[in-house]
Amino acid sequence: MQQQTFIIGSREFTCARMNPFEANRLLLRGQKLVMPVIGAIFGGSKGKASSIMDMDVKEAAMAIADNLDESIMDTIILPMFVDSKVYSNENKKFIKGPGEINQCFTTENLLDFYELIFEVARYQFGPFLDRLVERFGSLVEAPKSQGESQAS
């Protein structure tokens, strides 16, 4: 089983590679969250990343925080964490639901939770999303402002 380790802040988390069927199911559910994050990567105000693998984690965490709601948490994020077997090495807990989130994070380090969401999603879906953007990148690019289009 492939496994990945992430260091977020000073804490270590691990996750395992999801099976393709469940990954696809989550991608289908996650279009509402995935497309704005892809837009932030490739067409956002900074737009400097050429790949999801190169995106700044803090910038991605903010894009996730801006687009996350309770429904997405329940139908996409928590199932992704369960299927990925996300584990907090510090707390010795698999993060499967609200109880474990409350035990592993505080209001002071809540942004670390969003960074973990991005890291797990990037590990699971990064190559797929990069290929998607290569093929359909123009669909998520930000429109040029009036001044930019006149300067061209």
Side-chain angles (χ1 to χ4, degrees):
M1 173 188 302
Q2 288 181 314
Q3 206 169 8
Q4 180 70 29
T5 300
F6 311 108
I7 305 296
I8 298 175
S10 60
R11 298 176 306 151
E12 187 174 291
F13 300 89
T14 59
C15 78
R17 184 72 73 189
M18 292 174 61
N19 74 56
F21 182 80
E22 290 304 321
N24 183 61
R25 180 180 282 178
L26 289 176
L27 276 173
L28 293 173
R29 284 188 214 151
Q31 293 176 36
K32 196 169 145 186
L33 179 63
V34 170
M35 292 313 289
V37 173
I38 290 175
I41 295 168
F42 297 98
S45 58
K46 294 185 182 178
K48 61 185 172 210
S50 60
S51 161
I52 194 169
M53 306 310 263
D54 299 332
M55 186 175 185
D56 178 72
V57 175
K58 293 194 185 318
E59 185 180 341
M62 293 309 297
I64 290 169
D66 287 345
N67 292 284
L68 192 63
D69 64 26
E70 215 171 309
S71 171
I72 292 170
M73 178 65 80
D74 292 340
T75 61
I76 299 164
I77 303 303
L78 292 177
M80 178 178 70
F81 274 31
V82 169
D83 291 340
S84 300
K85 298 174 180 55
V86 176
Y87 185 76
S88 166
N89 291 334
E90 177 185 11
N91 297 90
K92 308 280 187 251
K93 294 204 174 291
F94 285 98
I95 302 174
K96 300 185 270 185
E100 294 85 10
I101 292 169
N102 289 337
Q103 292 171 350
C104 295
F105 299 94
T106 66
T107 55
E108 289 86 20
N109 66 13
L110 195 55
L111 192 57
D112 291 355
F113 175 62
Y114 295 115
E115 289 181 25
L116 181 61
I117 292 170
F118 176 70
E119 289 287 16
V120 172
R122 176 165 58 179
Y123 175 65
Q124 299 297 352
F125 307 114
F128 169 79
L129 295 175
D130 280 346
R131 287 184 66 195
L132 183 70
V133 169
E134 284 174 14
R135 293 182 182 172
F136 304 105
S138 62
L139 298 177
V140 296
E141 289 177 4
K144 290 183 179 180
S145 68
Q146 195 73 5
E148 285 180 44
S149 60
Q150 290 175 353
S152 304

